[in-house]
Amino acid sequence: MNFYERKILPYLTDLSLSNSNIAKLRREILAGVTGEVLEIGFGTGLNLPYYPEQIHQIATVDPNPGSSAIAQKRIGASPITVNHCTLSGEKLPMSSCSFDSVVSTFTLCSIPDVEQALAEIHRVLKPDGRFFFIEHGLSPEPNVQVWQNRLTPIQKRVAGGCHFNRNIRQLIENQFEQVMIEESYLENSPKVPAYLYKGIATKVG
């Protein structure tokens, strides 16, 4: 991981994902989180203020150590204890069937082996555990897809591996038995980076 990715990118990402429209989505999706919680792609800790009051501890993973300085400020201001590991989501050290809830926001776009990461999320969830997510990805509009495909190689280089063109619905439905997803464009945003998938996937049985 180079200097830009460790020292500059976390601040740029934090800034781009801090607007009020995204905050509203975080509040909505995290309201249903219960029990033992794992957050994939913790980043700078933007989700912390939106966890329900009954959540007192979460486990988190993120591969970029450069995000920790920003995250520590939010951890210090939160009543939630954060047990953090600096690693990616493709090979989690947690035991199978450990968590009631797994959370991912704006993370699946940048994990290199996203299918493996989703398999790991499914593995560590308890039976009937739920995966809560907000992700951006492939638009259903062909003219937007053209630009998403064209710009993704550049985006990957400047934004830590982020893809504009991943079909998040398909990826999650390939792994989970029960999926509820809402799709829409983020308000007042360019269409290429702003097609959103918000939902809950359940590990049946």
Side-chain angles (χ1 to χ4, degrees):
M1 189 170 290
N2 60 37
F3 178 85
Y4 167 78
E5 291 171 330
R6 287 185 292 107
K7 297 295 186 181
I8 299 173
L9 183 59
Y11 288 91
L12 297 177
T13 303
D14 187 79
L15 180 64
S16 68
L17 294 177
S18 294
N19 74 59
S20 59
N21 289 332
I22 294 177
K24 178 184 175 183
L25 297 175
R26 293 182 195 276
R27 183 177 292 108
E28 291 172 354
I29 198 65
L30 294 174
V33 171
T34 59
E36 297 292 324
V37 181
L38 169 65
E39 183 174 335
I40 304 292
F42 182 66
T44 59
L46 283 166
N47 285 330
L48 273 178
Y50 305 106
Y51 279 103
E53 290 182 2
Q54 68 269 21
I55 302 300
H56 302 294
Q57 179 173 294
I58 62 174
T60 67
V61 300
D62 193 280
N64 190 339
S67 300
S68 296
I70 306 172
Q72 285 303 319
K73 297 177 183 178
R74 293 193 173 105
I75 292 170
S78 173
I80 298 172
T81 299
V82 176
N83 300 315
H84 183 66
C85 292
T86 302
L87 50 83
S88 189
E90 292 106 329
K91 192 173 182 180
L92 299 174
M94 296 82 175
S95 300
S96 298
C97 303
S98 296
F99 296 96
D100 301 284
S101 303
V102 175
V103 172
S104 168
T105 58
F106 303 98
T107 297
L108 298 182
C109 61
S110 58
I111 296 176
D113 190 345
V114 65
E115 291 90 350
Q116 177 60 29
L118 284 164
E120 282 289 272
I121 290 169
H122 189 275
R123 179 184 67 79
V124 301
L125 277 169
K126 297 176 183 178
D128 299 319
R130 295 179 294 171
F131 172 43
F132 298 81
F133 58 89
I134 306 168
E135 300 289 346
H136 75 109
L138 188 69
S139 166
E141 295 185 61
N143 61 323
V144 178
Q145 288 182 11
V146 167
W147 284 102
Q148 288 181 317
N149 291 330
R150 285 175 179 170
L151 294 175
T152 285
I154 299 170
Q155 176 72 357
K156 286 167 63 179
R157 289 197 294 271
V158 301
C162 175
H163 294 66
F164 288 138
N165 59 354
R166 283 185 171 168
N167 188 331
I168 300 299
R169 174 183 287 275
Q170 184 178 82
L171 287 165
I172 293 175
E173 288 182 343
N174 284 348
Q175 185 62 61
F176 281 86
E177 299 86 345
Q178 181 179 318
V179 183
M180 296 184 296
I181 300 181
E182 299 175 11
E183 300 182 35
S184 63
Y185 288 104
L186 184 66
E187 294 180 20
N188 304 315
S189 299
K191 286 187 172 182
V192 168
Y195 191 74
L196 300 185
Y197 300 76
K198 182 185 76 169
I200 303 171
T202 303
K203 180 178 178 177
V204 176

